[in-house]
Amino acid sequence: MSNETLSSLSTRIKQQRKKQLWTLEHLANLSGVSRSMLSQIERGKANPTLAVTCKIAEAFNISIAELIEEPWTQPLIEVVKGDNKNSILRDDQSAFIQVLTPIHSADNIEFYLVKLPVKGELNSHPHMRGTREMITIQSGDITVISGSDSKHLTTGDSAYYQADQDHRIINNWDQEAVIYMITSFDNGSNTN
């Protein structure tokens, strides 16, 4: 595998793992590939065999072609199906969060659908330095808090705020709130 192809594969594996919010240990357990080998692959220090690459793709529930495609061979339009269960990050009493960003998208921006139940809250610890979030309220009456600042938003409103500090979204409404969220990572900071 050429250095360029290996670098592309390494980046793609790391992006996919981070999108799933998986640790290296979790991916190792799902794929049967050792944590140390996965770490070396993600850093571009190891050239995985076809068998290892297949195991990693299977763990992500994607084809090997999706995992190793070069960016210039990808389709001009990618679709994220609304009924794709693998795109749901969270579905519990506090919140429903679904990733709407295609798996191969740039790693410095992510798009989400967030649903908060009556009086629900989405509490988030600081993301990487330079991270910002933009939300648009599809339906609801919410309060967004970033650090010591807070703003009240209703249906149709949008807010852009720092997400590299404690932040949260609170549903003040007597119905489920529906929110679209874009998370933007500073290119220089997104190196983990």
Side-chain angles (χ1 to χ4, degrees), residues 41-62:
I41 292 168
E42 282 191 3
R43 290 181 289 126
K45 303 294 184 193
N47 192 345
T49 65
L50 181 58
V52 167
T53 306
C54 283
K55 287 180 180 183
I56 295 169
E58 286 175 9
F60 290 135
N61 198 26
I62 60 175

Side-chain angles (χ1 to χ4, degrees), residues 51-118:
V52 167
T53 306
C54 283
K55 287 180 180 183
I56 295 169
E58 286 175 9
F60 290 135
N61 198 26
I62 60 175
S63 71
I64 193 168
E66 290 173 290
L67 188 61
I68 63 173
E69 276 185 337
E70 294 297 334
W72 57 86
T73 66
Q74 295 192 15
L76 297 178
I77 299 174
E78 287 189 66
V79 175
V80 177
K81 292 292 206 176
D83 61 355
N84 180 355
K85 302 294 185 220
N86 291 330
S87 68
I88 297 172
L89 289 181
R90 180 173 174 182
D91 189 5
D92 56 38
Q93 294 175 346
S94 299
F96 170 88
I97 304 173
Q98 181 176 19
V99 180
L100 302 176
T101 313
I103 202 85
H104 300 297
S105 68
D107 64 347
N108 63 341
I109 191 164
E110 295 173 349
F111 183 40
Y112 300 95
L113 168 63
V114 177
K115 296 179 184 179
L116 296 177
V118 175

Side-chain angles (χ1 to χ4, degrees), residues 166-177:
D166 286 333
H167 55 287
R168 63 188 186 154
I169 303 170
I170 304 166
N171 181 7
N172 305 315
W173 211 23
D174 61 356
Q175 297 177 35
E176 178 181 74

Side-chain angles (χ1 to χ4, degrees), residues 5 9 14 18 22 34 36-37 39 48 64 85 98 104 108-109 114 116 119 137-138 143 147 162 174 178-179:
T5 303
L9 176 62
K14 187 173 184 178
K18 289 187 174 277
W22 292 350
S34 75
S36 62
M37 173 58 85
S39 176
I64 193 168
K85 302 294 185 220
Q98 181 176 19
H104 300 297
N108 63 341
I109 191 164
V114 177
L116 296 177
K119 305 299 178 193
I137 313 308
Q138 175 69 31
T143 299
Q162 295 176 358
D174 61 356
V178 179
I179 302 160

